[in-house]
Structure formats: structure tokens, C-alpha cells
Amino acid sequence: MKYPIGIQSFDQLIEDGYVYVDKTDLVYSLVKEGKIYFLSRPRRFGKSLLVSTLKNYFLGKKELFKGLKMETLEKDWLVYPVFHIDFNGGNFTNPGELNLWIKAYIDSWERDLEFETDKDLPIGLRFMEILKYAHTATGRRAVVLVDEYDKPILDVLDVNKDLEEEHRNILKGFYSVFKGADEHLQFVFLTGVTKFSQVSVFSGFNQPNDISMHCKYEALCGISQEELDAIFRKPVESMSEVYKCSYEEMRAMLKSHYDGYHFSDSMTDIYNPFSLLNAFDAQRISDYWFKSGTPTYLIRLLSHTDENMSDITGKYYAPEEFIDYKANVEQPLPMIYQSGYLTIKEFDIRRNMFLLDYPNNEVKKGFLSLIASNYFKTRESIYSWVNNAAYLLEEGKLDEFRVGLASFLASIPYTMRRKENEREKERYFHYTFYLIMRLLSVYTVYTEKEQSHGRVDCIVETPKFVYVFEFKLDGRVEDAIQQIEKKGYTKEYEADPRKLYKVGVVFSSETGTIADWKSELVLKSLNNTK
């Protein structure tokens, strides 16, 4: 099986015999049921391949669709003039680059059509003249496909305000062509990461049909669980041999690491296609998508906000809070969601509210490590420390875990934990342990549970051990242990065969590390453990 890693050309993928997950029935629905669309998906999710598929369809290349669902659906195979714009390769931090990029496309189209526009006209009007001419010359309306339409803005977002505004105005003028040339257009499709507010880029033409959260097109990009089971059983079986586990266990590992995306309230499970195909090719689970690069615009936005990830994740939101996109430093949530670092985890239909959290372990580990490294600014690698800490908990080496945790906390610069008041001190320690324990949850089974008697600070479950933690800032370790006992935090584990520990930890706001620690093995009756 040949995996199309990094291949975004539909014709090359088909001609060279790469595996293709057939989405052409959805493509057929798009082209027959609407005219102007916008689709938002994270990077490396197959948007460019989708645009290439549309391009080849509208060019009438019937032979490429042989054996695919489209072959039986389409009868006419008409050829349209297609104008494909791809902003992926541009470096739009350079002033004037966007104008040059668009002008190069227009010049190329003029050469292909053997038609020349007035060079003194604005770029948008030149494009309109080209669309009119293409319609007249071919007798068919034009098709416009724009890939990563928002990259010229994202490149300079929060870096160069003047250039950002200039790019918005250029794109607004360029896309306004679609309104004036409506009678000459057969189909328009735009992809990107974000959809900017209606008063900016899209205000110059009729609003596109945003299918980013349309249940019908939820699996238009990415790989569904049904598709994985039907097409990729052999590579999963092959990986199970490498990992010396059953097919079901291997499938579960792949699911926890790469699945978990949901793009509508239908909650269809979608795998990250880039990571999944890389894993099949290398026969190894690794963080392929995250290692391929983190958007710099996202890091810039997060550096400005006062909201910690603990304030954002694992909470319910109304659609307007993360779907009505507005890319700015005051509202990072829509950008985090659309970039693929958070996804829908539950939908409350009664309240029309969506629970947002990390989609899978690859994203959770990578994103939290990135945030933690930036937040803590430690001398010690967050990756190596978390890996070692998780191993120690899995092996029941609590004393070594305590020493390692104290050392890690001590490595955080004093300037990071120097806070002006008690509230800020508590907030710092709360967020510090949120990050640490969420990172540990990638390697262990971690749950922060609401129990009938109160909220547990932290529970870490491993195959052989369960740890119930209670944290105190500038308090007494005896009070932490007493709270675990008084609130009955360990009761639900008393029939569990794993060894159960209650752990009280006191942190010092003065030293920034562990001031006191006490762990006790919970003795269970024989009746409870049978």
C-alpha cells in the first residue's frame, strides 16, 4: 500500500497508484447543490487535495475518477475554465508580496487565455475582466478555487498591523469580484484555517456557504473510523505485530493518539490523516502532525492573552463563542479551535452548547508541552521530565517521583512565580499543576473527578497503581491527608485490585517547590479486593 504523504495533487495520487480514501460522492454533492462555499480545517488535513480533486473534476478528467463513486454519479463531464489560487507557498511578511503573488496569477491566466486586460486597472477588476472573457470564450461559467485564502493575513497577524490591514483590504477588493462577476461564475470554493469576521475579508461579496460544521461534510477531509476499518485493516494488523499486541489493542492506540476530531454536532470521529498515514508508513506511533510545525500566529496570540489553558479547555461554549471567528489577541479560542488544537467533545442539544477539549494524545502532549515550555521557561526539558515522571508513577516509585517533581519546580525561574498578591500566587500554582498533570495524563490514565463529597485535586491511574493527590499552598501536609480521608476521595477505589495511595503535597510560594510531602498506602479489606 502506497501512502500519499505530502502529495496534494489528485491526478498524481491516482496516476501513481497511491491509496485514496474516496470522498468523491461528497464532492459531487458540493458541486450540484451549491455555488459558493467556505471550508475551514486544520493544516495538513487534506484541504489542498480536496481543491485538487475539484479542479480535476471541473476540467472534465473523467479517466482519473474511474472506479470511484463519482464515475457512476456524473454523466456529463463538462469542461469549465478553472482558476486555481494557492497561497500556501507565499511568504507574506514581505511588503508587496501579496500584490506580486496575485499579479503573477493574473498574468499567467492572461497568457493561457491569450487575452490582455488594462494593466492600469485594479487587480480585482482585471480578474473580473478575465472571468467575463473566459465565460464568453468557452461558453461555460468560470470555476474559482482558492486554497488557504487566509494565509496572507495569518503570516502578519499581530506582527505588522499596517501590513495586516493592507492585506485585508487587498483580499477584500480581490474577493469582491465574486459579487460583480456572479453571472460568470459556476462554482467558488475557498479553504483556510480561519473565517474572519464578516466586516472584513468577506464583506465585498455574497457570504459563502460555510460548511465547516455541516454534518453532511464532516468527513470531507480526514479519515473516519468507518474508513479506517474498511481500508486500513492490513496496516493496523502489521503494526500490531510490530507492537506485539492484538489488532484491537493496536486500533485503540491509534485511536487515542490520532482520532478524536469532531466537526459538527453529529460527532463523527475523524482521524488526523497526516499523522495516521505517516504512522502506517513508518509502522510507529509518533507525533507527526505536531512535529511538522506549530503555527507561529497561534503562539503569538497565546503570548498576549491572560487566559490559561485551564480556563479554556474542558468547558461548554455557545457556537458564537468559537464559530463566529475573529482572529485577534483578545479572543484566542476561535483560533485555537480552528487550528485543530481543540475540538468538539460533546454536544448538549438542549442548550445548544459544545464541550471543547484536546482531540487526542498527540495534540494534547505536543500543545501542552509547547505551552508549558513557554510558561515555565525551565532549564530542564519538559518532554524528558514528563516521560520520566510518568514512568516513575507507573512503577510505583513515589519517592523518586517526589524528588524529580521538586527538582523540576526548582528549575522554574523565580521571575515566573513572583506574583504580586495571594490570588496571583494561587493562580500560578493552580495552573502549574494543571499543566503538569495534564501532561502526565498523556502517559497515564488521569482523571480530575467531581465526587459526591467534593472535588479531588488530582487522581492518577496507572495499570498497577492509583494515586489520590491533595495539594496545599503554604499549608500543612497533615491537613491535605485529612481532607482526602474526610471527603472519602479513596472510597470508589477500595474494591479496585490496584495499590491505592493517598498523597498530600504542600508547596511553598516562597521557594516555589515542595515544602512537605506525605504518602500513605491505603489498606483495603480482603473482602473489598476480591
Side-chain angles (χ1 to χ4, degrees), residues 457-468:
D457 274 354
C458 175
I459 295 176
V460 178
E461 299 180 16
T462 74
K464 299 177 182 177
F465 301 92
V466 177
Y467 307 96
V468 178

Side-chain angles (χ1 to χ4, degrees), residues 34-310:
K35 180 174 180 177
I36 302 179
Y37 293 98
F38 169 74
L39 175 69
S40 168
R41 285 294 182 270
R43 61 189 175 84
R44 299 188 182 278
F45 241 82
K47 299 190 296 293
S48 297
L49 177 58
L50 174 61
V51 168
S52 179
T53 306
L54 285 163
K55 180 180 179 179
N56 282 277
Y57 165 79
F58 279 111
L59 289 174
K61 295 187 177 182
K62 180 180 178 179
E63 69 281 1
L64 294 176
F65 293 85
K66 187 175 182 180
L68 300 179
K69 297 170 185 174
M70 181 71 83
E71 183 183 27
T72 59
L73 293 169
E74 182 57 72
K75 306 302 180 185
D76 300 327
W77 292 101
L78 302 176
V79 178
Y80 295 87
V82 177
F83 299 90
H84 178 203
I85 304 164
D86 185 359
F87 286 121
N88 268 304
N91 178 11
F92 300 105
T93 59
N94 300 321
E97 182 79 9
L98 179 56
N99 263 325
L100 290 173
W101 199 266
I102 296 175
K103 184 178 179 297
Y105 273 115
I106 288 176
D107 290 343
S108 173
W109 295 330
E110 288 184 347
R111 287 192 300 272
D112 292 342
L113 291 168
E114 297 181 347
F115 170 74
E116 191 170 330
T117 61
D118 183 349
K119 298 295 191 291
D120 293 329
L121 288 174
I123 285 176
L125 291 179
R126 288 182 66 191
F127 186 30
M128 185 182 293
E129 290 299 311
I130 290 171
L131 294 173
K132 288 179 182 178
Y133 178 80
H135 183 192
T136 303
T138 66
R140 302 206 185 281
R141 296 182 181 89
V143 171
V144 180
L145 307 172
V146 184
D147 199 7
E148 302 294 359
Y149 91 97
D150 51 351
K151 190 175 186 298
I153 296 176
L154 294 177
D155 277 2
V156 295
L157 189 67
D158 197 44
V159 173
N160 186 329
K161 294 291 184 183
D162 293 336
L163 197 54
E164 179 187 334
E165 188 61 28
E166 179 183 319
H167 286 179
R168 285 178 186 268
N169 290 330
I170 291 172
L171 293 177
K172 181 179 176 180
F174 185 66
Y175 296 137
S176 67
V177 169
F178 300 145
K179 185 175 184 179
D182 185 67
E183 63 181 300
H184 306 292
L185 291 170
Q186 177 70 25
F187 186 82
V188 177
F189 193 80
L190 302 99
T191 77
V193 174
T194 61
K195 180 184 175 186
F196 290 96
S197 58
Q198 295 188 3
V199 295
S200 60
V201 177
F202 287 150
S203 62
F205 72 101
N206 296 330
Q207 290 296 308
N209 180 8
D210 184 357
I211 59 171
S212 304
M213 287 189 66
H214 195 303
C215 59
K216 183 175 182 177
Y217 299 110
E218 189 170 17
L220 186 57
C221 293
I223 298 172
S224 69
Q225 186 66 60
E226 182 181 351
E227 289 165 338
L228 183 142
D229 292 338
I231 301 170
F232 298 103
R233 184 174 181 91
K234 284 187 177 180
V236 176
E237 288 176 344
S238 179
M239 286 188 73
S240 70
E241 293 175 7
V242 172
Y243 279 82
K244 295 179 173 56
C245 63
S246 69
Y247 171 84
E248 289 73 21
E249 288 171 328
M250 192 71 246
R251 184 176 177 271
M253 281 192 275
L254 290 166
K255 189 174 184 67
S256 68
H257 215 70
Y258 302 130
D259 191 18
Y261 286 96
H262 304 102
F263 296 110
S264 85
D265 54 24
S266 293
M267 301 298 291
T268 302
D269 281 348
I270 304 295
Y271 284 78
N272 183 319
F274 181 79
S275 286
L276 191 63
L277 294 178
N278 268 281
F280 289 152
D281 185 59
Q283 295 284 282
R284 289 289 184 276
I285 290 178
S286 188
D287 303 330
Y288 301 103
W289 181 75
F290 200 87
K291 289 176 181 176
S292 69
T294 303
T296 55
Y297 63 79
L298 193 59
I299 302 303
R300 292 197 299 268
L301 284 181
L302 288 172
S303 68
H304 287 286
T305 182
D306 288 331
E307 290 186 288
N308 293 328
M309 290 307 294
S310 58

Side-chain angles (χ1 to χ4, degrees), residues 231-485:
I231 301 170
F232 298 103
R233 184 174 181 91
K234 284 187 177 180
V236 176
E237 288 176 344
S238 179
M239 286 188 73
S240 70
E241 293 175 7
V242 172
Y243 279 82
K244 295 179 173 56
C245 63
S246 69
Y247 171 84
E248 289 73 21
E249 288 171 328
M250 192 71 246
R251 184 176 177 271
M253 281 192 275
L254 290 166
K255 189 174 184 67
S256 68
H257 215 70
Y258 302 130
D259 191 18
Y261 286 96
H262 304 102
F263 296 110
S264 85
D265 54 24
S266 293
M267 301 298 291
T268 302
D269 281 348
I270 304 295
Y271 284 78
N272 183 319
F274 181 79
S275 286
L276 191 63
L277 294 178
N278 268 281
F280 289 152
D281 185 59
Q283 295 284 282
R284 289 289 184 276
I285 290 178
S286 188
D287 303 330
Y288 301 103
W289 181 75
F290 200 87
K291 289 176 181 176
S292 69
T294 303
T296 55
Y297 63 79
L298 193 59
I299 302 303
R300 292 197 299 268
L301 284 181
L302 288 172
S303 68
H304 287 286
T305 182
D306 288 331
E307 290 186 288
N308 293 328
M309 290 307 294
S310 58
D311 302 324
I312 295 175
T313 55
K315 295 186 177 181
Y316 280 89
Y317 294 91
E320 56 269 19
E321 294 183 85
F322 68 100
I323 298 172
D324 290 342
Y325 319 101
K326 185 180 179 184
N328 59 37
V329 297
E330 287 80 24
Q331 293 180 299
L333 178 65
M335 190 73 83
I336 299 170
Y337 167 76
Q338 281 304 313
S339 298
Y341 296 95
L342 293 180
T343 195
I344 298 166
K345 283 301 183 183
E346 289 180 14
F347 174 58
D348 186 331
I349 192 171
R350 184 181 60 82
R351 297 188 299 152
N352 192 33
M353 298 281 280
F354 294 86
L355 175 68
L356 299 186
D357 212 329
Y358 304 106
N360 51 47
N361 280 349
E362 176 186 19
V363 174
K364 182 163 67 171
K365 181 178 74 172
F367 195 42
L368 283 173
S369 295
L370 181 72
I371 292 170
S373 295
N374 187 61
Y375 182 74
F376 294 140
K377 294 179 171 58
T378 63
R379 298 180 295 275
E380 189 174 349
S381 165
I382 191 74
Y383 272 112
S384 60
W385 181 81
V386 168
N387 269 297
N388 187 56
Y391 165 77
L392 293 174
L393 288 176
E394 287 175 0
E395 296 299 313
K397 299 180 178 180
L398 262 178
D399 287 340
E400 292 180 48
F401 173 79
R402 173 182 57 81
V403 172
L405 177 59
S407 174
F408 176 78
L409 292 172
S411 72
I412 300 173
Y414 171 72
T415 52
M416 289 303 301
R417 56 183 169 80
R418 183 182 58 203
K419 304 300 177 184
E420 298 299 323
N421 53 57
E422 289 302 315
R423 181 181 176 277
E424 285 302 308
K425 286 180 182 178
E426 289 183 10
R427 190 167 186 261
Y428 164 77
F429 277 96
H430 172 81
Y431 190 48
T432 293
F433 287 97
Y434 165 84
L435 287 175
I436 288 173
M437 293 306 169
R438 287 286 277 189
L439 278 166
L440 283 172
S441 73
V442 176
Y443 303 90
T444 62
V445 182
Y446 162 71
T447 52
E448 193 176 30
K449 294 185 176 179
E450 283 279 2
Q451 295 184 335
S452 58
H453 299 291
R455 187 176 184 85
V456 190
D457 274 354
C458 175
I459 295 176
V460 178
E461 299 180 16
T462 74
K464 299 177 182 177
F465 301 92
V466 177
Y467 307 96
V468 178
F469 288 92
E470 183 65 29
F471 303 126
K472 296 292 181 185
L473 179 63
D474 298 325
R476 298 172 63 248
V477 73
E478 291 78 11
D479 293 338
I481 294 293
Q482 276 185 356
Q483 183 167 333
I484 295 173
E485 295 169 350

Side-chain angles (χ1 to χ4, degrees), residues 502-519:
K502 50 188 176 184
V503 186
V505 187
V506 174
F507 302 100
S508 166
S509 60
E510 183 64 31
T511 65
T513 189
I514 296 172
D516 205 355
W517 171 290
K518 186 176 183 180
S519 62

